[in-house]
Amino acid sequence: MVSASWPEPQRAPAARRHATSVKIMVAGGLGVGKTTAVQSISEIATINTDNWMTEPGRPLDALADGQGKTTTTVAMDFGRITLESDLVLYLFGTPGQPRFWTIWEDLCRGASAALVLADARRLETSFPAIDYFERDADIPFAVAVNRFDDVLPHPVERIRAALELPEHVPLTTVDARSRSSVARALITTVGHSLRQAVLASGGDASGGGR
């Protein structure tokens, strides 16, 4: 099983036997680091659908001045990472713009969990994704606050309160540029999904009943 102390994702072995494949969504608002996270962790060349941000589209895909974002995902990002020899994650990054939210339902079909990325400087961009997984999708999710410029402007617990996250939803920080950091966030997400599955089956997620 996956351990929280596991430091680095492993490359896929030449011959994998009885591997479990898990679909994980990487979601969040525009410019929170979804594409960067998928590219940082993937062991294969990622598939993305980035288009240039144009002047006519800026009122629809608005970001704060000075963020330097020049492209935007219009359908999805796709990558793969082997966490252990028997566990492979297939990562699907969602588009962040409201005009593309209609495809989220199709992208999320068959997913086991979701990692919602947040930008502490623009927490309001995280609300739609959190609301979607809380109300509209039967998928366990965790939230990771991306440390832009390696800075976290607010304490994590203040961010939890601002996002109105229930205590059972994991909230962590992540550097979307760092492979090991993204790996830890994904481990947290997978672990949460497993615990929720055990609870849903009537088991003891803490393991204390064994």
Side-chain angles (χ1 to χ4, degrees):
M1 303 301 293
V2 178
S3 169
S5 62
W6 177 80
E8 280 284 349
Q10 301 175 359
R11 293 290 181 177
R16 185 187 300 116
R17 297 180 180 179
H18 308 297
T20 298
S21 299
V22 180
K23 181 179 181 180
I24 303 292
M25 306 307 300
V26 181
L30 176 65
V32 297
K34 301 181 297 294
T35 298
T36 300
V38 174
Q39 290 176 340
S40 295
I41 193 70
S42 181
E43 65 194 8
I44 63 172
T46 57
I47 297 172
N48 62 62
T49 55
D50 279 3
N51 276 356
W52 291 104
M53 296 180 71
T54 61
E55 286 302 321
R58 287 192 182 279
L60 296 175
D61 303 330
L63 276 175
D65 291 340
Q67 287 195 239
K69 186 173 176 62
T70 57
T71 62
T72 183
T73 300
V74 297
M76 71 170 188
D77 299 307
F78 174 77
R80 184 190 72 196
I81 181 62
T82 303
L83 286 185
E84 295 190 357
S85 59
D86 60 348
L87 180 59
V88 181
L89 304 186
Y90 289 94
L91 308 176
F92 289 76
T94 65
Q97 309 94 309
R99 57 196 173 112
F100 296 126
W101 286 347
T102 54
I103 70 172
W104 278 36
E105 184 175 352
D106 289 333
L107 286 177
C108 289
R109 189 171 292 116
S112 297
L115 175 62
V116 176
L117 294 184
D119 181 349
R121 305 166 301 178
R122 301 179 297 119
L123 284 180
E124 69 280 359
T125 63
S126 305
F127 293 146
I130 291 173
D131 186 68
Y132 176 80
F133 290 109
E134 279 188 330
R135 302 174 185 273
D136 300 324
D138 188 21
I139 302 173
F141 71 98
V143 178
V145 183
N146 194 4
R147 300 191 303 272
F148 286 91
D149 299 321
D150 206 27
V151 173
L152 189 66
H154 307 290
V156 170
E157 286 311 310
R158 286 187 59 187
I159 294 174
R160 177 182 290 278
L163 293 175
E164 299 182 353
L165 280 182
E167 286 299 321
H168 74 276
V169 176
L171 176 63
T172 62
T173 65
V174 68
D175 182 343
R177 302 164 300 179
S178 167
R179 194 165 188 258
S180 60
S181 182
V182 175
R184 287 191 291 270
L186 288 172
I187 288 169
T188 297
T189 304
V190 172
H192 176 60
S193 176
L194 291 173
R195 287 191 296 273
Q196 293 302 109
V198 171
L199 289 172
S201 67
D204 182 359
S206 68
R210 296 191 177 185

